[in-house]
Amino acid sequence: MSNLVIVESPAKAKTIKKYLGEDYNVIASMGHIRDLPKGQIAIDFDNNFKPRYINIPGKSKLIKELKEMAAASDMVYLATDPDREGEAISWHLAHILKLDTQQSNRVTFGEITKKGITDGMANKRTIDMDLINAQQARRILDRIVGYKLSPFLWKKVKGGLSAGRVQSVAVKLIVDRHREIEAFIPREYWNIDAVLTPAGSAKKFRARYWGTDGKKMTVATQQQAYEIKQQCENAQFEIEKITKGERKRVPAPPFTTSSLQQEASRRLGFTASRTMRAAQTLYEGVEVAGFGTLGLITYMRTDSLRISDEAYFAAKKFVGEKYGDKYVPPYRRNYKAKNNAQDAHEAIRPTNVNITPEIAYGSLSGDVEKLYKLIWERFMASQMADSIQETVSVDISCLNHLYKATGYTVLFDGFTALYEEQTDEKKEKETALPPLEKDTKLKLREMEAEQKFTQPPSEYTEATLIKALEENGIGRPSTYAPIIYTIIERGYVERNAKKLVPTALGLTVNDVLAAQFANIVDVKFSANMEDSLDKIEEGATEWTDVIREFYDIFSADLEKAEKEMDGQKVKVPEVMTDEICEVCGKPMVIKTGRYGKFMACSGFPECTNTKKIVKYAKGACPKCGGRILQLTSKKGRVFYACESGTDCGFMSWEEPTDKVCELCGSTMFKKSAKGAQPHCIKEGCPNASVTPPATRGRKKKTEN
């Protein structure tokens, strides 16, 4: 008997073939094979929004091969990814290959392992038309917005622009945050700290001013701060109250798509797209020495926190053997997912907990290696015991003023022995306090008064934007990476270090859309639309009804906007630079073309001078003394190179500083790690005690 299994990617096909054996042929469709045609809207508005699909140009040879293999097979199984997009690919394949959609020929794999494939093949089902309709509805909604709104922007702003249903909301979030920061007025305040030691001890600790006469106070001026400081400098400090307690810290849950993208951004500096590329590789299968080819993680597009019984018991056994029984919690943890979470798949976890990062180390490299370590540690920590800390809070009186000191001692490290989640919020630093007792008199070592200013909210990073999208119900886990990629690619947003900042073009387009299409950029409206798509998937709503309701509102807004802006054109402000045109002497401005940003003379069209945008770093090349360029690799990683290029050949991943080596006078560099100190890397200098960064470390594929 001959069986044909169709998946999406060659890597996945190779892994699955190994497990299914000789009776099965496995072939990849290379993603979608049928779609709406480019260059035309292809939706029949008079026939209940019926879409007109065509075979994707360039795939005729593959389609012919698929048809021939299907005709020669006794059974065809559609094994594309287990989500809306994967279901749609299977449905289109069924149409092209003339398969019966009522036949149980749809299989899905939560993990690409022997067990995952065996379970998938044993649970065949029919194609889920509710999933198909949800995917179609999203595709058609996005098509309507893109093909109806983009021409409006061409006429009213500039040619070549495009708009997106979800992307426009993301841009508005970034614009609103940017303007909130610009409008922020800092407020002055002062911190007053007393550095104290208990009698008979040399250990110092710090207590911060809290208030006066039993009332909490904010010290707003220098005069207030100095008055309190002077009053206390020659007065007695005494411990008034000590409160001890115990707190438990619970581990973070296993990863969802959103939390994985956020943590990979914070810890590894990965973009969302970069994270998903590495996760896709881990899911589809890699060869691990001693284990063969297998998928190392479960399906990576999920917002569920559920894990299987098998995974739970495997993790419990591993933790007990590796760390000891006290690190195994006495109960099974059940993490609560968000209300709108889809529970079709497990949380992201390793498929085999015994393949530790150390074991996988020799078989993986680069991003894949780093991401596997993150996923493995996060999952294992989520199944470990709580961390227990003893907390101490001390009230210290001085005259009628009150100071407070807090600290903690770790009684049991628990899950923190392996992993701790990073957050975007800054926390007050706590330190261990010396042994203290009530009514103890304290010796003042130093009084410090420090001026501070309230800070505006930070610009969004990829991590915080994904968090905001998720919290507001905008998009779904599988859409976060494409959303961010698209708004940057369109030139509406740019990365400044890790921050996402709106461009002049992004601000202009956002203002036009906000004024004329309030619903398109409204967070609640977008979230309600996501809920409607979920209801289609659940079979609770007719997909054509959802599209008609949206289209009636949208088309009315478009007609109104056309009338209100008839004859108007909004100019995108030019961004001036400090560069002067060497041809005519006028300032250069930044413009965006089809190949990205460039500098052009503000005297255009009289002067047509243009040049590349170059960003110089601090210091000079340690090899030839030339200027150093700050560049970005294809994967988005910042590096530094000599402006002379291959004539010099100097390149470093480390950042040049404004400090110079005291022996050779060469620019010193520093690593990106927190607390890293500048060091010399000039070849031949006695201070250059390390290998130059471009060649340091174990051999890996060079990043372009």
Side-chain angles (χ1 to χ4, degrees):
M1 183 174 181
S2 116
N3 300 283
L4 178 64
V5 177
I6 306 176
V7 297
E8 283 155 298
S9 77
K12 196 171 164 187
K14 182 182 174 184
T15 311
I16 292 170
K17 169 67 178 170
K18 181 190 121 180
Y19 289 112
L20 289 178
E22 294 302 319
D23 290 339
Y24 290 84
N25 288 314
V26 186
I27 188 170
S29 71
M30 310 302 289
H32 279 277
I33 58 167
R34 209 166 66 123
D35 199 3
L36 298 170
K38 289 183 178 179
Q40 51 185 290
I41 197 161
I43 296 165
D44 189 345
F45 291 90
D46 298 324
N47 191 15
N48 228 8
F49 303 99
K50 185 178 179 181
R52 182 174 64 82
Y53 296 110
I54 63 165
N55 295 346
I56 294 174
K59 289 207 168 184
S60 55
K61 186 178 176 183
L62 174 62
I63 290 170
K64 183 183 177 187
E65 184 184 1
L66 286 167
K67 284 180 175 179
E68 288 172 353
M69 292 184 74
S73 302
D74 297 308
M75 184 67 191
V76 179
Y77 295 102
L78 304 170
T80 50
D81 282 350
D83 56 15
R84 284 179 191 167
E85 218 58 39
E87 202 74 14
I89 293 172
S90 282
W91 181 62
H92 288 302
L93 282 165
H95 175 86
I96 282 178
L97 303 178
K98 295 182 169 48
L99 303 178
D100 182 1
T101 55
Q102 298 305 307
Q103 186 181 20
S104 294
N105 56 6
R106 175 77 170 116
V107 294
T108 58
F109 308 126
E111 57 185 67
I112 310 300
T113 60
K114 185 175 182 178
K115 181 183 181 303
I117 291 163
T118 303
D119 289 349
M121 296 302 290
N123 290 281
K124 297 179 280 290
R125 60 173 174 80
T126 59
I127 288 174
D128 188 334
M129 285 310 299
D130 292 329
L131 264 180
I132 301 298
N133 290 335
Q135 189 273 344
Q136 281 199 115
R138 179 186 291 279
R139 187 81 178 91
I140 292 168
L141 286 169
D142 291 344
R143 191 75 162 196
I144 290 170
V145 173
Y147 276 67
K148 294 277 189 179
L149 198 49
S150 297
F152 176 83
L153 292 176
W154 301 343
K155 289 186 287 184
K156 304 306 175 189
V157 185
K158 62 178 284 193
L161 295 182
S162 58
R165 183 181 60 85
V166 181
Q167 293 91 328
S168 298
V169 188
V171 172
K172 188 170 191 301
L173 286 174
I174 293 168
V175 168
D176 288 350
R177 174 64 62 84
H178 181 73
R179 286 181 169 153
E180 185 182 353
I181 293 166
E182 286 187 325
F184 183 82
I185 300 172
R187 194 181 74 252
E188 179 186 10
Y189 71 97
W190 287 73
N191 284 336
I192 307 170
D193 286 353
V195 181
L196 306 162
T197 55
S201 172
K203 184 165 176 62
K204 298 177 184 178
F205 70 98
R206 189 176 292 267
R208 177 155 293 174
Y209 171 79
W210 182 84
T212 300
D213 295 328
K215 294 179 181 177
K216 183 170 175 57
M217 280 183 59
T218 298
V219 181
T221 65
Q222 184 181 45
Q223 184 180 345
Q224 273 183 292
Y226 280 18
E227 283 176 4
I228 295 168
K229 182 173 177 280
Q230 286 176 342
Q231 288 172 25
C232 294
E233 277 178 330
N234 297 308
Q236 181 65 59
F237 284 80
E238 185 175 333
I239 295 176
E240 190 176 283
K241 180 182 174 185
I242 297 178
T243 306
K244 291 188 177 182
E246 194 173 280
R247 69 183 176 200
K248 290 181 179 179
R249 290 186 57 211
V250 179
F255 281 129
T256 61
T257 307
S258 166
S259 59
L260 175 63
Q261 290 172 353
Q262 291 175 56
E263 190 75 342
S265 173
R266 287 187 290 248
R267 278 181 179 261
L268 306 175
F270 286 8
T271 63
S273 299
R274 189 174 168 188
T275 298
M276 295 310 288
R277 278 196 302 270
Q280 187 84 34
T281 300
L282 288 167
Y283 166 70
E284 290 183 345
V286 292
E287 189 171 340
V288 180
F291 293 87
T293 302
L294 76 164
L296 284 179
I297 63 169
T298 52
Y299 191 56
M300 67 287 165
R301 292 187 182 93
T302 177
D303 49 9
S304 170
L305 296 176
R306 174 179 58 82
I307 65 166
S308 67
D309 290 343
E310 182 185 25
Y312 163 68
F313 288 114
K316 181 178 179 181
K317 182 173 183 288
F318 184 95
V319 170
E321 291 175 353
K322 169 85 173 174
Y323 294 95
D325 290 342
K326 64 181 180 178
Y327 284 87
V328 178
Y331 50 85
R332 179 169 180 171
R333 294 191 188 279
N334 288 305
Y335 294 101
K336 185 170 171 38
K338 290 182 168 56
N339 291 333
N340 61 349
Q342 307 293 304
D343 198 47
H345 314 296
E346 290 186 59
I348 303 169
R349 61 166 178 82
T351 56
N352 185 342
V353 299
N354 296 304
I355 303 178
T356 64
E358 292 75 23
I359 289 173
Y361 189 78
S363 304
L364 307 178
S365 63
D367 291 357
V368 175
E369 176 191 303
K370 291 174 186 174
L371 198 70
Y372 182 66
K373 183 174 188 290
L374 188 65
I375 292 168
W376 188 91
E377 289 182 349
R378 171 74 163 235
F379 172 70
M380 296 307 297
S382 75
Q383 304 305 309
M384 291 173 71
D386 299 340
S387 169
I388 301 172
Q389 300 171 346
E390 182 183 62
T391 60
V392 182
S393 178
V394 185
D395 289 359
I396 300 165
S397 60
C398 177
L399 302 176
N400 61 331
H401 304 301
L402 185 67
Y403 291 74
K404 285 182 179 281
T406 59
Y408 72 92
T409 304
V410 176
L411 300 178
F412 176 58
D413 56 0
F415 72 92
T416 64
L418 177 61
Y419 173 91
E420 286 189 74
E421 182 184 34
Q422 292 192 0
T423 62
D424 299 298
E425 294 79 29
K426 290 183 180 178
K427 294 181 179 177
E428 281 290 326
K429 192 174 180 182
E430 292 180 316
T431 56
L433 298 174
L436 299 170
E437 293 181 9
K438 189 177 179 299
D439 300 326
T440 300
K441 289 181 170 47
L442 303 167
K443 185 171 182 179
L444 178 66
R445 297 288 185 181
E446 191 180 354
M447 284 289 291
E448 297 176 354
E450 184 182 14
Q451 184 186 37
K452 294 277 190 179
F453 291 92
T454 53
Q455 296 297 310
S458 298
E459 300 274 15
Y460 281 112
T461 61
E462 285 212 10
T464 56
L465 179 62
I466 289 168
K467 186 177 181 182
L469 292 171
E470 184 180 37
E471 287 176 346
N472 286 292
I474 300 166
R476 278 294 175 261
S478 60
T479 65
Y480 299 144
I483 287 169
I484 294 170
Y485 173 82
T486 302
I487 61 178
I488 293 173
E489 188 72 11
R490 287 177 178 172
Y492 297 153
V493 172
E494 62 186 5
R495 284 194 190 91
N496 184 358
K498 281 190 173 184
K499 295 174 181 175
L500 299 175
V501 183
T503 62
L505 178 63
L507 290 165
T508 303
V509 170
N510 174 78
D511 290 348
V512 170
L513 293 179
Q516 301 297 335
F517 301 91
N519 287 319
I520 289 293
V521 294
D522 182 69
V523 168
K524 287 184 179 177
F525 184 84
S526 183
N528 289 337
M529 188 55 59
E530 292 296 340
D531 289 340
S532 296
L533 292 171
D534 289 343
K535 286 175 183 173
I536 295 169
E537 184 173 326
E538 293 160 9
T541 302
E542 187 65 35
W543 69 279
T544 51
D545 292 343
V546 171
I547 294 175
R548 182 163 298 284
E549 184 180 353
F550 171 85
Y551 184 67
D552 288 346
I553 296 169
F554 174 70
S555 56
D557 287 345
L558 184 60
E559 186 179 351
K560 179 170 170 282
E562 291 279 10
K563 288 178 182 177
E564 288 186 1
M565 293 191 73
D566 186 36
Q568 295 182 42
K569 185 129 183 173
V570 181
K571 184 174 173 59
V572 180
E574 291 181 332
V575 180
M576 304 296 290
T577 72
D578 296 330
E579 292 277 331
I580 301 298
C581 176
E582 60 269 28
V583 175
C584 71
K586 290 183 179 178
M588 302 288 281
V589 296
I590 294 175
K591 293 196 173 184
T592 303
R594 61 182 299 186
Y595 299 112
K597 290 187 174 182
F598 63 96
M599 279 195 286
C601 181
S602 58
F604 181 86
E606 289 77 18
C607 179
T608 58
N609 183 33
T610 63
K611 56 184 177 181
K612 290 181 180 179
I613 295 174
V614 177
K615 190 169 183 179
Y616 290 100
K618 295 174 183 176
C621 172
K623 199 169 177 182
C624 72
R627 290 191 294 180
I628 301 173
L629 301 177
Q630 179 180 314
L631 304 168
T632 306
S633 74
K634 289 179 181 177
K635 291 187 177 180
R637 187 178 173 190
V638 173
F639 68 98
Y640 303 89
C642 180
E643 67 175 346
S644 299
T646 54
D647 291 341
C648 170
F650 172 76
M651 188 280 280
S652 174
W653 295 110
E654 296 189 11
E655 181 183 0
T657 70
D658 52 9
K659 292 182 170 52
V660 296
C661 174
E662 58 185 15
L663 289 184
C664 70
S666 178
T667 292
M668 298 178 80
F669 287 66
K670 72 171 184 177
K671 297 178 182 178
S672 58
K674 191 175 181 180
Q677 296 300 310
H679 62 106
C680 182
I681 63 171
K682 185 174 177 65
E683 193 173 347
C685 176
N687 268 357
S689 56
V690 295
T691 308
T695 57
R696 188 181 304 131
R698 93 175 205 240
K699 282 189 176 181
K700 288 191 179 181
K701 184 179 178 183
T702 304
E703 184 174 17
N704 293 318

